[in-house]
Each structure stands twice: as structure tokens, then as C-alpha cells.
Amino acid sequence: MARMITSVLARDLATLGRVGEDTSSESVLRGLTTTLARGVPGCSGGSAELWRDDRVLVSGSHSELIMLVEGEREIGEGPSIEARNTRQRVVIGDVLRDRRWARYSGLATRWGVRSVLLLPIEVAPVLLVVGLYGVRPGAFTAQAAAPLAEMLSEQVGVAMANMWDFDEVRTDAAQMQEALAGRAIIDQAKGIIMKSSGCSSEAAFEELRRVSQHHQVKVADLARLLVEEHQRKQR
């Protein structure tokens, strides 16, 4: 194959960087694998392994390819393991003729796979191992894989960075919302103490803090218990 990058592939890869409320690592990987299966000539399916330390998230355009990737890890040999360990691209022109991983060849042919291309992409702090699979021999060549690997590194890097930035914003917003909710419940508890004892706002808060330290609970949690108890008594 002389050319693996098409205009459709370039367009669809660029959309991976768009994030929204439903964006996650799973959705990015799923989008990547289906884009490869749809946009790369000769590619019948794709897989993606997102490694962070010894933890991995696996996705695939087809469930059979997820089973192939997981089966490879079970037997302890194969192209994706090689790509992960060496950080180098791995090409299998024909799994029936390749002699490097005999047991992997048996797994691949079971699912109708004849040619394989594995591309390791480092997006610190993770490693992404992208797999392309063809049902015919010779679907991929090392020469044609180089520009595809470069494009994937750029586009996937952008997508992952955007997702992580968006996650950080969502986390900050959730923490702020939680802090505001905690402040509101503390104000309610202070009001209850002020009404029952006739003390100032500052003294009510000091009483909450003193009791929370004595019982080793957070001020907000103690305030919530006090408000709930007060509401029960009123009912």
C-alpha cells in the first residue's frame, strides 16, 4: 500500500479533539478505532490500548479485536506487546507466514486477521498502542505507516490534552459547587445555633468547629447532621 492517509481520515481524526460533557478516554479511543477502520484503505478494524503504568484501557472497532488484544496479553507474546516494550512500529505482512509469534498467529487467524500494524504513541504520562488490522495479506507497509504514525501522534495528542484539560475544569467546577453547598449548610447550622443560644455568628461557628474537632468529623458534615436533626424536630 502506497498511501494510508486519506482526506476522510484526516478530517475524522481532527474531530477527535472536540470535547464535550460526554467526552472520556473511552469515547476518544472508540472514536479513534472506528475512524481508522473507516478511513484507512485496507484497514478492516482498529484497536487501542491506553497504558498508564501497569493499568490499561482497551478499545476496539470490533469486539473480536478487543478479544485478540486481551488474548495476546494472556499468551504473553505478539505485536502489541512488542510495540509497547520497544516503542517501535511493528508490521506483520501476513500472519500465516510470520514466524515471530506462532501462538499469536493462531489467535489472529481465528478472527480472520491476516495483516497487522501496531503504532506506539507516547502522550505523557500515558502510552497509546494503536492497532490496525486487515483481512488480506500486505495491507500495511512500514514505509506507508510513517506518515500515519506522525498524524496520529499529533491528533491523538491534541485529543487527549483537550480531554484532560476539560476534565480538570469539570473537577474544579465540581469542587467549587461542593464548597458552596458546604458553606450554605454551615450557614444554616450557624443560624440554628444562634437562634437557640442567642450568640453571634462568629461564636456559632466556633461552637461548630469545637464540636467537630472533638468528634473528629468535618464541620460541613456536622452542620448537615445538625440541620437534618432540626428539620426532623420541626416535622
Side-chain angles (χ1 to χ4, degrees), residues 16-18 56 59 61 63-64 68 83 89-90 107-108 128 133 149 153 170 200 202-203 220 223 230:
L16 293 176
R18 299 174 185 171
V56 63
S59 184
S61 59
S63 60
E64 293 86 350
L68 176 59
R89 294 189 291 273
V90 179
L107 284 177
L128 182 65
Y133 305 88
S153 297
R170 282 193 293 197
S200 66
E202 292 78 7
H230 180 72

Side-chain angles (χ1 to χ4, degrees), residues 2-15:
R3 188 166 174 267
M4 298 181 70
I5 298 177
T6 64
S7 58
V8 172
L9 176 66
R11 180 200 65 200
D12 290 348
L13 284 176
T15 65

Side-chain angles (χ1 to χ4, degrees), residues 129-143:
V129 181
V130 178
L132 291 81
Y133 305 88
V135 296
R136 296 180 180 177
F140 316 112
T141 65
Q143 294 79 7

Side-chain angles (χ1 to χ4, degrees), residues 18 32 44 47 60 82 121 127 131 136 180:
R18 299 174 185 171
L32 172 61
S44 302
S47 69
E82 180 77 8
I121 301 172
L127 173 67
R136 296 180 180 177
L180 291 173

Side-chain angles (χ1 to χ4, degrees), residues 59-76:
S59 184
S61 59
H62 302 76
S63 60
E64 293 86 350
L65 294 179
I66 297 177
M67 296 172 68
L68 176 59
V69 170
E70 293 177 343
E72 179 180 348
R73 289 208 309 275
E74 289 178 5
I75 64 175

Side-chain angles (χ1 to χ4, degrees), residues 36-156:
L36 293 173
R38 182 171 58 240
V40 176
C43 180
S44 302
S47 69
E49 301 169 68
L50 186 66
W51 287 91
R52 185 162 189 164
D53 300 324
D54 292 327
R55 293 174 297 172
V56 63
L57 174 64
V58 181
S59 184
S61 59
H62 302 76
S63 60
E64 293 86 350
L65 294 179
I66 297 177
M67 296 172 68
L68 176 59
V69 170
E70 293 177 343
E72 179 180 348
R73 289 208 309 275
E74 289 178 5
I75 64 175
E77 67 172 39
S80 69
I81 294 176
E82 180 77 8
R84 181 191 172 202
N85 290 339
T86 65
R87 303 297 199 269
Q88 298 294 319
R89 294 189 291 273
V90 179
V91 180
I92 300 179
D94 187 349
V95 297
L96 294 181
R97 297 179 179 273
D98 194 274
R99 295 293 179 263
R100 287 172 290 180
W101 309 289
R103 287 188 295 171
Y104 174 82
S105 297
L107 284 177
T109 53
R110 181 186 306 171
W111 301 116
V113 172
R114 288 293 299 273
S115 50
V116 182
L117 170 63
L118 270 299
L119 303 172
I121 301 172
E122 295 192 66
V123 187
V126 302
L127 173 67
L128 182 65
V129 181
V130 178
L132 291 81
Y133 305 88
V135 296
R136 296 180 180 177
F140 316 112
T141 65
Q143 294 79 7
L148 175 63
E150 183 177 347
M151 172 178 279
L152 284 176
S153 297
E154 179 180 349
Q155 297 295 347
V156 172

